[in-house]
C-alpha cells in the first residue's frame, strides 16, 4: 500500500508541474455587476527574487475572520496561490490560527486564518478547546487590518453579520476592516449583490469610493436604514469567489497598496510558519471531516507517528485514535476500503502542499488494536 500511494503521488506531482493546481481564472470586479462575464486569466506577479534590492520592503498583516464554513481557508489558499490551510466541507475545519505568507515584489502579505467565530454553545457541541475563541483574538492583535469573509450564497444568513462578528469588530474598532462577500459564483442576481452591500454596510454606502478619491472628487453617500446586524466602518467591499478565484486579484492589489514600509517578518520563499508535521495532521483531520458523518470526526484525535524527507520524498505516518471499535470500523470500511480512500485523498493534498512526492500511512487504533492502510 505504501508503494502504490508513493507511485500515485509521483504521478500527481508530475501533473501539478505541468498544470499548476492554483492557476485559477480571475476577473476584476470593480462593481457588483460582474458575476457572469467570461473570466480572464490571472496575471501572475513577478517572483519575489526578481525585486529591486534597492527598494524599500513593505508588509501587511491581515486577520481573516468570519463564522464557520464561509470559505476563509479556501479564500486564503487561492489568494496566496499555495495550499497552506486544510479545507473540508464541514464546519470547524480550522481549529487554530494558521499563517499564510505571500511575497510579491517588495511587498509581503501575511494572512492569519482564524477558526470560525463561535458561541459557547458551539464550543460544547463540537468538542472544541476552550482556547478556540482566543485564537482569533491573538491573530487580530498581530494584524494591521481585518478581513471579514461573509457567505453571500446562504439565503438564511447573508443579510446580516453574525453577532460574534459584530462583537469582534466593535472590540477592535481601532483597526481598519473590509468586507469580502464570498461565493458570488452561486448568485445570479446582480441586484441582490447591490442590496447585500447596502444592508451589510449599515446606514451609509460609498459608491465609486476608489475612483472618486483618485479624481479628488467628493464621494457620494447613500443613506439606508440602520440595522443592528451590519457594520458601518468597512473601508471597502470586495465581491469574490474563493473557489474559482474571481475577484481575488483586485483585492490583492488593494492589500498591496495598504502595505506599510517595514522589514519583512518572513523569508521571501516561505509560505507558512506551521511545521510540516502540523500541516500533515491537520490535513488528515480535514479529510476525516469530509468522509465521516455527523459529529463522529470531531471525537477523533490525530497524532503524527513518523515524519522524514529522503531523496525529495516525504515519508510520514499518522495515527487516528478512535473512542470505540464501532467508530474504528466505520473509518476503515469494508476491507479497509474507506481508509484507503481517505489516505489517497490526503496524499493528494500533501503533494499539492509540499510540492514533493509523499508516502503516507494512516492507521487507526481503539482499545489497543491497530489497523493501517
Amino acid at each position: 500500500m505504501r508503494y502504490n500511494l508513493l507511485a500515485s503521488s509521483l504521478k500527481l506531482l508530475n501533473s501539478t508541474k505541468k498544470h499548476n493546481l492554483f492557476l485559477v481564472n480571475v476577473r476584476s470586479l470593480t462593481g457588483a455587476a460582474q458575476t457572469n462575464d467570461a473570466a480572464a486569466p490571472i496575471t501572475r506577479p513577478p517572483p519575489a527574487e526578481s525585486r529591486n534590492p534597492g527598494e524599500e520592503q513593505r508588509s501587511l498583516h491581515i486577520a481573516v475572520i468570519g463564522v464557520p464554513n464561509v470559505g476563509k481557508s479556501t479564500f486564503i489558499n487561492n489568494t496566496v496561490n499555495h495550499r497552506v490551510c486544510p479545507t473540508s466541507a464541514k464546519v470547524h475545519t480550522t481549529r487554530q490560527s494558521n499563517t499564510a505568507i505571500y511575497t510579491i515584489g517588495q511587498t509581503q502579505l501575511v494572512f492569519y486564518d482564524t477558526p470560525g467565530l463561535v458561541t459557547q454553545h458551539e464550543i460544547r457541541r463540537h468538542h472544541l478547546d476552550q482556547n478556540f475563541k482566543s485564537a482569533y483574538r491573538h491573530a487580530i492583535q498581530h494584524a494591521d487590518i481585518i478581513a471579514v469573509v461573509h457567505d453571500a450564497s446562504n439565503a438564511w444568513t447573508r443579510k446580516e453579520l453574525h453577532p460574534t462578528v459584530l462583537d469582534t469588530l466593535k472590540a477592535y474598532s481601532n483597526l481598519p476592516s473590509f468586507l469580502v462577500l464570498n461565493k458570488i459564483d452561486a448568485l445570479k442576481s446582480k441586484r441582490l449583490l447591490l442590496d447585500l452591500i447596502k444592508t451589510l454596510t449599515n446606514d451609509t454606502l460609498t459608491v465609486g469610493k476608489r475612483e472618486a478619491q483618485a479624481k479628488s472628487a467628493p464621494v457620494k453617500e447613500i443613506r439606508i436604514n440602520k440595522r443592528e446586524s451590519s457594520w458601518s466602518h468597512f473601508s471597502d467591499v470586495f465581491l469574490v469567489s474563493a473557489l474559482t478565484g474571481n475577484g481575488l486579484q483586485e483585492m490583492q492589489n488593494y492589500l498591496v497598496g495598504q502595505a506599510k514600509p517595514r522589514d519583512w517578518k518572513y523569508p521571501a520563499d516561505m509560505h507558512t510558519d506551521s511545521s510540516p508535521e502540523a500541516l500533515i495532521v491537520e490535513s488528515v483531520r480535514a479529510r476525516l471531516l469530509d468522509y465521516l458523518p455527523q459529529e463522529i470526526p470531531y471525537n477523533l484525535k490525530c497524532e503524527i507517528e513518523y515524519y522524514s524527507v529522503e531523496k525529495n520524498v516525504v515519508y510520514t505516518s499518522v495515527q487516528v485514535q478512535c473512542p470505540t471499535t464501532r467508530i474504528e470500523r466505520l473509518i476503515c470500511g469494508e476491507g479497509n476500503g474507506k481508509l484507503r480512500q481517505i489516505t489517497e485523498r490526503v496524499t493528494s493534498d500533501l503533494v499539492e502542499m509540499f510540492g514533493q512526492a509523499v508516502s503516507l500511512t494512516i492507521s487507526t487504533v481503539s482499545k489497543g488494536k491497530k489497523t493501517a492502510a
Side-chain angles (χ1 to χ4, degrees), residues 233-354:
H233 305 294
F234 288 122
S235 61
D236 225 319
V237 180
F238 294 93
L239 310 176
V240 310
S241 168
L243 189 62
T244 67
N246 293 339
L248 295 182
Q249 185 69 64
E250 184 192 9
M251 186 211 63
Q252 187 184 95
N253 294 341
Y254 166 80
L255 294 176
V256 169
Q258 299 296 311
K260 303 175 182 294
R262 63 186 173 196
D263 291 340
W264 296 343
K265 186 175 180 179
Y266 302 100
D269 58 351
M270 192 171 181
H271 297 295
T272 180
D273 63 355
S274 297
S275 68
E277 293 89 341
L279 293 173
I280 291 167
V281 168
E282 289 303 302
S283 296
V284 171
R285 195 178 59 78
R287 289 309 172 191
L288 289 171
L289 290 172
D290 278 339
Y291 277 85
L292 299 176
Q294 299 174 352
E295 307 298 315
I296 290 176
Y298 297 104
N299 296 315
L300 303 175
K301 184 178 180 181
C302 302
E303 290 184 348
I304 196 85
E305 287 188 305
Y306 176 79
Y307 171 80
S308 177
V309 180
E310 302 173 18
K311 297 181 179 179
N312 209 36
V313 177
V314 176
Y315 295 92
T316 186
S317 176
V318 175
Q319 183 183 91
V320 180
Q321 298 177 7
C322 308
T324 66
T325 55
R326 183 186 69 84
I327 291 179
E328 184 182 17
R329 288 195 299 269
L330 182 64
I331 296 173
C332 295
E334 185 176 354
N336 283 341
K338 181 178 286 188
L339 186 56
R340 281 195 293 270
Q341 287 181 347
I342 296 172
T343 303
E344 290 170 0
R345 187 67 183 273
V346 177
T347 300
S348 175
D349 292 341
L350 296 178
V351 169
E352 185 179 342
M353 182 177 289
F354 296 138

Side-chain angles (χ1 to χ4, degrees), residues 45-52 55-58 102-108 264 268:
E49 290 77 7
S50 67
R51 64 187 183 273
N52 186 343
E55 294 182 7
E56 186 179 33
Q57 290 185 348
R58 304 172 64 87
Y102 182 66
T103 304
I104 170 174
Q106 286 298 112
T107 303
Q108 185 170 91
W264 296 343

Side-chain angles (χ1 to χ4, degrees), residues 188-213:
K188 303 299 181 184
S189 171
K190 300 171 184 177
R191 178 66 187 178
L192 178 58
L193 285 171
L194 286 171
D195 291 340
L196 268 181
I197 294 173
K198 290 180 181 180
T199 301
L200 296 174
T201 55
N202 208 354
D203 59 346
T204 60
L205 170 70
T206 45
V207 179
K209 180 178 179 181
R210 287 189 296 271
E211 292 79 2
Q213 288 176 338

